[in-house]
Amino acid sequence: MHAFKYHRPSSVKAAAALAKGEAKLLAGGQTLVQTMKLRLASPSDIIDLGALQDLAGIQSDGKTVTIGAMTRHADVAHSAEVKKTIPALAALAGMIGDRQVRAMGTIGGSLANNDPAADYPAAVLGMGATVITNKRKLSPDEFFKGMFTTALAADEIITAVSFPAPKRAAYIKFKNPASRFAIVGVFVADFGSSVRVAVTGAGPVVFRQAEMEKALAAKFAPESVANIKVKQDGLNSDLHASAEYRAHLVTVMAKRAVEAALK
Amino acid sequence: MAVKVSLKVNGKSVVAEVEERTLLVTVIREHLRLTGTHVGCDTAQCGACTVSMNGRAVKSCSMLAMQAEGTEVMTIEGVAHADGTLHPMQAAFKEHHGLQCGFCTPGMVINAIDFAKHHPDPSEQEIREALEGNLCRCTGYHNIVKAIGAGARAMAASK
Ligand SMILES: Cc1cc2nc3c(=O)[nH]c(=O)nc-3n(C[C@H](O)[C@H](O)[C@H](O)COP(=O)(O)OP(=O)(O)OC[C@H]3O[C@@H](n4cnc5c(N)ncnc54)[C@H](O)[C@@H]3O)c2cc1C
Ligand code: FES
Ligand code: FES
């Protein structure tokens, strides 16, 4: 790892003031520290958000669940509030990586990183959550820009994410057995008047599946999606799975997610 | 440049002067000479470097020492009682032959103790899921799974 200057600011404002040029924010470090060890990132300064207690925590009023950016995956997975209001979100957090990764990794870090195979982006897009930063509020369509790319400016810090509670929802992923990242993961959320289907792992960035959303809005049942064929154009193809296989998995995972949401 | 990191390790206050880029595992192994914490993969995969930080199992190769500032860390050296009596989880690993070469064992035991606090009577499935971040090249896991089940129940019984 290359040398850097270390900062541990005590306010979001102070952190944002330090975040310029080649500086990088540090949340749980579960992605960034290994990236730096491999010298794939060599920031001049590390701004550790670890002392910002206000950024960690979960609030719920029964209709909306708001999760602070520094909230660890384990805390979301075990939260009684999240389990009650959006059980699918607690379950998703409990599927990320392994126990040790979940003890450190944060929702803010996961979203800022926007790995094409990460789990949280499926929940954010699948529920139309709002990403709140020190500067503005972003819809998922505004926030997710492309592979490992978001709308965040260099001095912009995610402070929280606000999820509207669906009537019912579920997330199912076909995981890479080594890393547990999603080869394909599908989040299905039924809001009564509308249904959202978000797919992670399959493409360069999380996306919605309009045909499935329409079919599920007409009838929220597994058979509504079972015969929808997803096109493989533009999907990822790598040593883990071909685009053709991923396209097939989207339908299978969507069907299982609807089944799980109905349980 | 150097920074100071202050934390508690196995109940003792420690202040170490380190480079900013120093990993927690480096402080533990090289500054404190607590070499029971192992480095297997150095890439967040194997869990041999697992220590407990504020009661939670974390991978000490995947965090900066400064991320442990102000925390309480427990390594395998801090698990047994002062008089050498084994912790119930360690005793269960011994009893059930939960180790062969022993390289993965410190990480396994630390993770298992944290897991057992939340699962006093875990199922085999729960134990196997809890071991997703710990690799063992020797045992085939079978006896580790048995040991953790027995250790968890022994911990619950000794409360
Ligand atoms: C073995 C292993 C398995 C994993 N498996 C999975 C998996 O199955 N599914 C999955 O989704 N993820 C997985 N991950 C990734 C994990 O969830 C990471 O924790 C997460 O991607 C990054 O979160 P972090 O808090 O560790 O962020 P860091 O590594 O600290 O930071 C990541 C990036 O986000 C930026 N950042 C951090 N916080 C903020 C903020 N508040 N505002 C703006 N920018 C910010 C940083 O500057 C950095 O660029 C795995 C990781 C490991 C090591
Ligand atoms: S050495 Fe830390 S996870 Fe392998
Ligand atoms: S006992 Fe040898 S690696 Fe687990």
Side-chain angles (χ1 to χ4, degrees):
Chain A
M1 199 188 304
H2 287 296
F4 53 81
K5 270 208 204 109
Y6 175 85
H7 310 269
R8 197 179 173 81
S10 50
S11 72
V12 172
K13 212 167 151 209
L18 289 162
K20 41 182 183 250
E22 296 298 305
K24 258 199 177 292
L25 303 167
L26 176 70
Q30 297 304 288
T31 297
L32 185 55
V33 170
Q34 291 300 340
T35 314
M36 286 161 61
K37 283 165 78 173
L38 295 168
R39 297 188 178 176
L40 295 170
S42 304
S44 60
D45 295 72
I46 280 290
I47 305 152
D48 187 350
L49 304 178
L52 303 181
Q53 295 299 333
D54 328 346
L55 289 194
I58 297 166
Q59 263 143 27
S60 165
D61 61 6
K63 290 198 188 95
T64 311
V65 174
T66 302
I67 301 178
M70 283 298 287
T71 311
R72 316 283 168 175
H73 307 329
D75 292 319
V76 176
H78 296 140
S79 157
E81 294 279 338
V82 182
K83 278 188 191 163
K84 193 173 116 209
T85 313
I86 315 180
L89 183 60
L92 175 145
M95 285 182 221
I96 298 175
D98 53 58
R99 301 185 77 243
Q100 292 98 314
V101 167
R102 293 194 292 274
M104 287 299 286
T106 67
I107 188 168
S110 175
L111 292 176
N113 196 45
N114 193 19
D115 189 304
D119 297 306
Y120 269 129
V124 168
L125 184 62
M127 288 186 271
T130 305
V131 180
I132 304 163
T133 76
N134 57 331
K135 295 175 185 249
R136 53 188 168 154
K137 291 184 176 178
L138 293 154
S139 71
D141 292 334
E142 294 164 323
F143 181 81
F144 297 113
K145 286 293 177 201
M147 194 179 248
F148 292 108
T149 326
T150 68
L152 290 174
D155 62 345
E156 191 164 12
I157 299 172
I158 301 175
T159 55
V161 189
S162 191
F163 294 90
K167 225 171 81 191
R168 53 196 167 190
Y171 175 67
I172 300 284
K173 77 165 154 175
F174 191 83
K175 51 185 165 180
N176 177 318
S179 74
R180 273 81 65 193
F181 272 100
I183 289 178
V184 170
V186 177
F187 197 102
V188 173
D190 180 6
F191 287 90
S193 53
S194 66
V195 175
R196 291 174 75 107
V197 177
V199 182
T200 190
V205 66
V206 64
F207 62 87
R208 283 169 73 180
Q209 224 297 338
E211 201 183 342
M212 290 183 179
E213 291 183 352
K214 218 174 121 202
L216 289 170
K219 186 176 179 215
F220 195 81
E223 58 271 20
S224 299
V225 293
N227 295 319
I228 293 180
K229 289 239 178 323
V230 174
K231 286 203 191 75
Q232 66 179 72
D233 308 347
L235 296 192
N236 301 336
S237 196
D238 52 32
L239 76 165
H240 305 301
S242 65
E244 184 188 7
Y245 184 43
R246 278 190 165 90
H248 175 73
L249 282 176
V250 174
T251 303
V252 178
M253 294 302 114
K255 186 173 142 246
R256 289 186 192 167
V258 176
E259 278 164 8
L262 287 168
K263 267 196 200 136
Chain B
M1 278 269 292
V3 280
K4 250 194 208 145
V5 57
S6 322
L7 64 161
K8 266 195 177 165
V9 179
N10 300 333
K12 279 192 222 123
S13 293
V14 170
V15 182
E17 221 165 272
V18 298
E19 264 192 278
E20 287 93 330
R21 60 182 164 177
T22 306
L23 300 171
L24 178 60
V25 71
T26 311
V27 169
I28 291 170
R29 286 181 54 86
E30 293 174 22
H31 292 247
L32 305 176
R33 299 278 169 190
L34 294 171
T35 52
T37 301
H38 293 161
V39 177
C41 64
D42 211 6
T43 57
Q45 308 297 319
C46 77
C49 64
T50 300
V51 299
S52 159
M53 185 171 89
N54 288 344
R56 286 183 172 189
V58 297
K59 293 173 180 172
S60 62
C61 79
S62 299
M63 51 186 289
L64 302 178
M66 286 308 292
Q67 287 180 274
E69 170 69 25
T71 66
E72 294 200 15
V73 168
M74 184 178 71
T75 68
I76 194 66
E77 289 88 347
V79 170
H81 297 282
D83 67 0
T85 314
L86 294 182
H87 182 281
M89 189 59 77
Q90 290 174 304
F93 268 72
K94 186 177 172 205
E95 170 72 21
H96 294 274
H97 301 281
L99 60 148
Q100 288 179 22
C101 80
F103 190 86
C104 69
T105 315
M108 290 281 181
V109 169
I110 296 276
N111 186 27
I113 291 172
D114 174 20
F115 166 74
K117 281 187 296 193
H118 309 282
H119 299 85
D121 186 17
S123 67
E124 179 182 337
Q125 179 67 18
E126 285 171 326
I127 298 170
R128 289 189 183 274
E129 278 169 15
L131 290 178
E132 278 186 324
N134 293 81
L135 300 180
C136 174
R137 295 300 299 270
C138 303
T139 63
Y141 301 97
H142 188 69
N143 287 353
I144 294 177
V145 173
K146 272 208 282 190
I148 293 175
R153 285 181 274 276
M155 278 171 65
S158 71
K159 252 201 238 150

